[in-house]
């Protein structure tokens, strides 16, 4: 890694309220940190990355992804939530070996990095043994991305819900062995079931374990029928709400529960594409905003959908605009005066608010002096982005992973000229295909997935959520 790097781009979206948008702009990086941002910094003694036809911006942050499922990519694209629970959780999950968890995390995180997601929260809830956990961490580290390993235990905790099996205390070993310092690219959190999916006694024990280990918490709430059980009210009544918790989904939470989250300083993660596919309810983006919560964004499961932030931003903004327009129509308003959710908002959710939900906003999420240099450069010289009239609209409505030319993580260039530099893509593809083939070979002996096959035609039996 060069000690000094100067990035010059046609447009710089700093996501910093004081620095704003620079067109053109420069970013000076020294030893992995941003030391200056401006229109013309007058620097001559640095390695230069010059892209006048590009948008420079903070790397995207995905705040909730079950990364281990990557080898089963898009197998569940035409499945309901019930099919997913049977096929993935009751079926394939129990056949994962540690090496399959490793390649799932390496594949999924490398894919994310390739598309401009520099930070990923790995919501890892198929850790059947300590060896699976070690392999999951190794996969994250080998990708070169910034990641939060959110320890979510394994099949015992996620079967026959709600159950009273406590969260695995192996997380204490992991804290000591892998996460003694917060000043590293891969850090630790805990992914808890919460009162929707665990008994009250187990939930109290799980939250106490998180306090003992000293981690942030990420928890599913408000998704579908489960979410109508007023889980946030229960957490409040048991003094478990805090600014160290991210609430994933939130679709079916009552308005007063959203206010409880806001009052506690908690953060939220919206997975709009999966939420609409799996029947969790309408994405809560607008309702969260109504209560002063600016959400982050998350992919959720690549066994069902694509893994890039561009498509997710398009879904999230379009679904909320549709809801807002429908509400206006019901009130007899034919045309709304203005759209309350902008493309700039969506980019903020995908960057700065994502960093905040991961507890990393002091390090990343914006391009400002003192922060670590997680930067992406999006080419704008394609026909679909020419001429460059609106950088926010370009990122949200016209961008795609193929536009991501250059990626830096903590000042280190990990993708250049559209190619990952430190990931052996051929090896990753080979290992991922081997895992997929192994899992399919195991399927005939498992009645829950006995007919499993690629091609898009196979659908498992359905579990009623």
């Amino acid at each position: 890694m060069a000690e000094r790097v100067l990035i010059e781009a046609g447009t710089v979206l700093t996501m910093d309220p004081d620095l704003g948008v620079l067109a053109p702009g420069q970013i000076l990086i020294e030893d992995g940190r941003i030391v200056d941002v401006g229109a013309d910094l007058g620097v001559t003694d640095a390695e230069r990355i010059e892209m006048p036809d590009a948008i420079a911006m903070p790397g995207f942050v995905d705040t909730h992804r079950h990364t281990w499922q990557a080898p089963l990519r898009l197998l569940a694209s035409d499945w309901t939530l019930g099919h997913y629970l049977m096929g993935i959780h009751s079926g394939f999950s129990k056949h994962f070996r540690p090496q399959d968890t490793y390649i799932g995390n390496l594949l999924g995180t490398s894919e994310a990095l390739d598309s401009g997601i520099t930070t990923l929260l790995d919501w890892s809830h198929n850790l059947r043994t300590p060896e699976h956990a070690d392999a999951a961490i190794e996969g994250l580290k080998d990708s070169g991305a910034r990641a939060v390993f959110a320890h979510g235990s394994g099949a015992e905790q996620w079967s026959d819900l709600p159950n009273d099996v406590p969260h695995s205390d192996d997380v204490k070993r992991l804290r000591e062995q892998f996460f003694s310092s917060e000043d590293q690219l891969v850090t630790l959190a805990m992914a808890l079931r919460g009162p929707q999916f665990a008994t009250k006694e187990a939930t109290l024990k799980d939250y106490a374990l998180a306090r003992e280990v000293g981690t942030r918490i990420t928890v599913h709430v408000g998704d579908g029928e489960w979410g109508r059980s007023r889980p946030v009210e229960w957490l409040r009544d048991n003094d478990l709400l805090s600014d160290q918790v991210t609430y994933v989904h939130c679709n079916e939470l009552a308005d007063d529960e959203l206010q409880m989250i806001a009052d506690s300083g908690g953060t939220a993660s919206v997975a709009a594409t999966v939420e609409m596919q799996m029947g969790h309810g309408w994405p809560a983006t607008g309702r969260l905003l109504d209560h002063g919560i600016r959400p982050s964004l998350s992919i959720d499961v690549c066994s069902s959908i694509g893994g890039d932030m561009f498509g997710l931003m398009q879904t999230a903004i379009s679904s909320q605009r549709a809801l807002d327009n429908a509400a206006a129509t019901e009130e007899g308003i034919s045309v709304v005066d203005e759209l309350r959710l902008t493309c700039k908002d969506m980019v903020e959710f995908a960057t700065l608010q994502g960093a905040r939900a991961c507890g990393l906003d002091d390090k990343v999420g914006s391009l400002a002096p003192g922060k670590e240099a997680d930067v992406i450069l999006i080419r704008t010289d394609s026909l679909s982005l020419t001429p460059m009239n609106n950088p926010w609209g370009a990122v949200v409505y016209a961008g795609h992973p193929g536009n991501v030319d250059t990626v830096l993580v903590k000042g280190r260039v990990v993708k250049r000229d559209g190619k990952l530099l430190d990931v052996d893509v051929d090896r990753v593809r080979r290992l991922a295909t081997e895992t997929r083939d192994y899992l399919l070979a195991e399927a005939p002996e498992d009645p829950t997935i006995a007919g499993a096959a690629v091609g898009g035609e196979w659908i498992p039996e359905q579990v009623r959520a």
Side-chain angles (χ1 to χ4, degrees):
M1 180 178 72
E3 291 186 0
R4 283 167 61 88
V5 176
L6 182 71
I7 297 174
E8 182 169 3
T11 304
V12 178
L13 306 179
T14 70
M15 306 314 299
D16 180 273
D18 296 323
L19 295 171
V21 178
L22 303 173
Q26 295 182 338
I27 308 157
L28 180 61
I29 301 165
E30 291 186 4
D31 297 324
R33 289 188 179 274
I34 298 170
V35 296
D36 205 357
V37 180
D40 185 358
L41 302 179
V43 174
T44 58
D45 59 339
E47 175 188 336
R48 300 179 73 89
I49 300 176
E50 297 180 80
M51 295 190 65
D53 289 319
I55 295 169
M57 59 176 288
F60 296 124
V61 182
D62 177 356
T63 57
H64 159 243
R65 182 186 303 222
H66 305 298
T67 322
W68 61 272
Q69 297 179 18
L72 299 172
R73 177 178 313 287
L74 304 176
L75 194 67
S77 295
D78 294 323
W79 298 3
T80 66
L81 175 60
H83 295 140
Y84 166 81
L85 293 173
M86 176 65 82
I88 303 297
H89 283 287
S90 297
F92 282 114
S93 67
K94 60 180 172 287
H95 299 287
F96 269 68
R97 306 162 297 180
Q99 60 263 43
D100 304 317
T101 301
Y102 166 80
I103 190 56
N105 270 20
L106 179 57
L107 170 65
T109 311
S110 298
E111 171 207 6
L113 196 61
D114 191 41
S115 70
I117 296 171
T118 53
T119 300
L120 181 150
L121 186 140
D122 173 34
W123 223 98
S124 195
H125 65 338
N126 191 35
L127 305 174
R128 307 180 69 83
T129 68
E131 291 73 26
H132 284 79
D134 293 352
I137 295 166
E138 184 182 3
L140 296 176
K141 289 184 174 181
D142 284 356
S143 73
R146 189 183 300 273
V148 179
F149 174 67
H151 185 275
S153 284
E156 282 187 296
Q157 287 78 14
W158 290 96
S159 300
D160 300 319
L161 300 173
N163 67 45
D164 61 358
V165 182
H167 195 102
S168 170
D169 65 3
D170 185 52
V171 68
K172 293 191 283 189
R173 173 189 68 86
L174 298 172
R175 165 62 96 185
E176 181 176 349
Q177 183 173 343
F178 295 107
F179 302 107
S180 57
S181 170
E182 295 297 322
D183 189 25
Q184 54 193 48
L185 282 182
V186 182
T187 52
L188 181 66
M190 286 182 64
L192 302 185
R193 291 162 295 171
Q196 288 184 186
F197 303 118
T199 63
K200 311 309 182 186
E201 294 76 14
T203 300
L204 291 171
K205 291 178 182 177
D206 291 352
Y207 272 71
L209 178 61
R211 286 194 296 270
E212 179 184 353
V213 175
T215 69
R216 288 185 60 86
I217 292 169
T218 174
V219 60
H220 293 143
V221 292
D223 37 331
E225 186 63 33
W226 291 302
R228 301 187 185 101
S229 61
R230 296 189 64 80
V232 173
E233 179 182 47
W234 187 90
L235 291 169
R236 183 204 61 182
D237 291 346
N238 287 273
D239 297 322
L240 297 178
L241 299 182
S242 84
D243 61 1
Q244 297 300 300
V245 182
T246 297
Y247 302 89
V248 179
H249 297 312
C250 302
N251 311 72
E252 297 294 335
L253 294 181
D255 285 341
D256 65 328
E257 290 184 288
L258 296 179
Q259 191 60 50
M260 293 172 198
I261 293 173
D263 292 343
S264 71
T267 54
S269 177
V270 169
T273 309
V274 164
E275 288 161 3
M276 292 198 294
Q277 172 174 345
M278 290 190 173
H280 292 341
W282 287 106
T285 312
R287 296 179 61 233
L288 289 163
L289 293 172
D290 289 341
H291 292 274
I293 302 169
R294 297 188 69 77
S296 64
L297 301 176
S298 63
I299 299 297
D300 200 343
V301 290
C302 288
S303 53
S304 296
I305 67 166
D308 66 89
M309 190 63 71
F310 298 100
L312 175 59
M313 288 189 293
Q314 291 165 23
T315 302
I317 194 170
S318 297
S319 60
Q320 187 56 52
R321 286 179 172 180
L323 287 168
D324 291 343
N325 285 323
T329 299
E330 289 182 3
E331 294 177 7
I333 300 171
S334 59
V335 179
V336 296
D337 291 335
E338 62 180 322
L339 298 171
R340 67 161 172 164
L341 189 61
T342 68
C343 291
K344 182 180 180 181
D345 290 327
M346 295 310 302
V347 176
E348 180 200 323
F349 300 164
T351 55
L352 186 59
Q353 295 305 328
R356 180 169 173 253
C358 290
L360 295 172
D361 50 316
D362 61 331
K363 293 184 178 182
V364 297
S366 63
L367 304 180
K371 289 204 172 183
E372 296 182 5
D374 288 11
V375 186
I376 63 174
L377 287 151
I378 300 172
R379 298 186 67 94
T380 61
D381 57 358
S382 65
L383 294 177
S384 62
L385 292 171
T386 301
M388 174 47 56
N389 298 321
N390 175 358
W392 308 107
V395 173
V396 173
Y397 274 124
H400 58 77
N403 298 129
V404 179
D405 179 274
T406 302
V407 177
L408 292 84
V409 176
K410 202 173 181 178
R412 184 166 177 264
V413 179
V414 297
K415 182 179 183 181
R416 191 192 298 271
D417 297 328
K419 301 291 184 182
L420 290 174
L421 301 182
D422 299 320
V423 174
D424 185 341
V425 173
D426 290 339
R427 170 179 175 266
V428 171
R429 294 185 67 236
R430 174 176 57 80
L431 292 177
T433 302
E434 289 174 0
T435 279
R436 188 275 314 270
D437 291 347
Y438 157 75
L439 293 170
L440 289 176
E442 293 290 299
E445 304 303 319
D446 184 339
T448 61
I449 52 173
V454 298
E457 299 299 323
W458 174 70
I459 296 179
E461 295 293 326
Q462 181 157 236
V463 169
R464 292 295 176 187

